[in-house]
Amino acid sequence: MGKLNTVLFGKYQLCRILGTGRLGTVFLAVHLGLSEYRAIKRVPKSFLEYDQFRREALILKELRHLGIPIVYDVEEDENYSYLIEEYLEGESLYDLVKSQGYLPQRLVIHYGIQLTDIMNYLHLAGTTPPVIFGFTAEESIGVPWKREAD
């Protein structure tokens, strides 16, 4: 599963691949009932750290922070686990640095403060064991990635 135009779980139509990485593949999908985009992270159950991924996904589903995409659902099939989350438009921090080279100091400080705020929030969430949040690789960090409060 994972072909474009495939409908997952009867409601998410895959549109395109947003990226691939250590954890798996991220798809852009549209929720057919709501006509809203979602990011779907697909992680193989054979992934060495699958149990940790699953545990963290269920914890993240309960957390709310402007710098963390909202987790709407966690689904599974026989081979994969799927994290269905808010789709935030923008390029990744990795792509930004790759295209521009060094970033101005003010931007590095700006993004550093936002990342520190997220890590502090996750630490203070009081989960046992603490959330490691495996999606903080530079490929997973969107720019601009901090939403404004509604």
Side-chain angles (χ1 to χ4, degrees):
M1 179 115 17
K3 293 182 181 179
L4 299 184
N5 295 318
T6 296
V7 176
L8 295 177
F9 312 110
K11 57 186 167 186
Y12 302 108
Q13 183 172 359
L14 301 183
C15 301
R16 66 183 167 101
I17 293 175
L18 294 173
T20 58
R22 184 180 69 88
L23 294 177
T25 304
V26 181
F27 296 93
L28 175 64
V30 64
H31 185 292
L32 296 173
L34 300 174
S35 298
E36 292 182 351
Y37 286 111
R38 299 286 188 256
I40 300 181
K41 294 181 180 178
R42 183 184 71 181
V43 176
K45 290 183 175 180
S46 61
F47 177 61
L48 194 57
E49 299 168 23
Y50 170 75
D51 289 335
Q52 180 176 337
F53 164 81
R54 176 99 175 118
R55 180 186 61 78
E56 289 187 15
L58 292 172
I59 292 169
L60 288 171
K61 189 172 184 255
E62 303 302 318
L63 301 179
R64 293 292 179 264
H65 185 282
L66 289 175
I68 301 173
I70 295 167
V71 175
Y72 294 111
D73 207 354
V74 178
E75 297 276 1
E76 290 188 344
D77 62 23
E78 61 186 59
N79 297 312
Y80 297 98
S81 184
Y82 300 83
L83 181 66
I84 292 91
E85 61 184 13
E86 176 182 21
Y87 171 64
L88 301 175
E89 275 192 78
E91 66 183 329
S92 71
L93 182 58
Y94 176 82
D95 289 338
L96 180 66
V97 171
K98 191 174 172 183
S99 68
Q100 292 188 10
Y102 292 102
L103 297 179
Q105 182 179 12
R106 65 176 179 73
L107 276 182
V108 172
I109 291 169
H110 174 74
Y111 295 139
I113 289 170
Q114 289 188 42
L115 282 170
T116 302
D117 183 54
I118 291 169
M119 294 302 151
N120 186 54
Y121 173 79
L122 290 171
H123 175 74
L124 294 177
T127 60
T128 305
V131 174
I132 295 172
F133 198 50
F135 304 109
T136 55
E138 61 273 7
E139 295 93 347
S140 300
I141 300 170
V143 179
W145 51 273
K146 186 168 185 178
R147 299 184 313 275
E148 298 299 320
D150 294 330

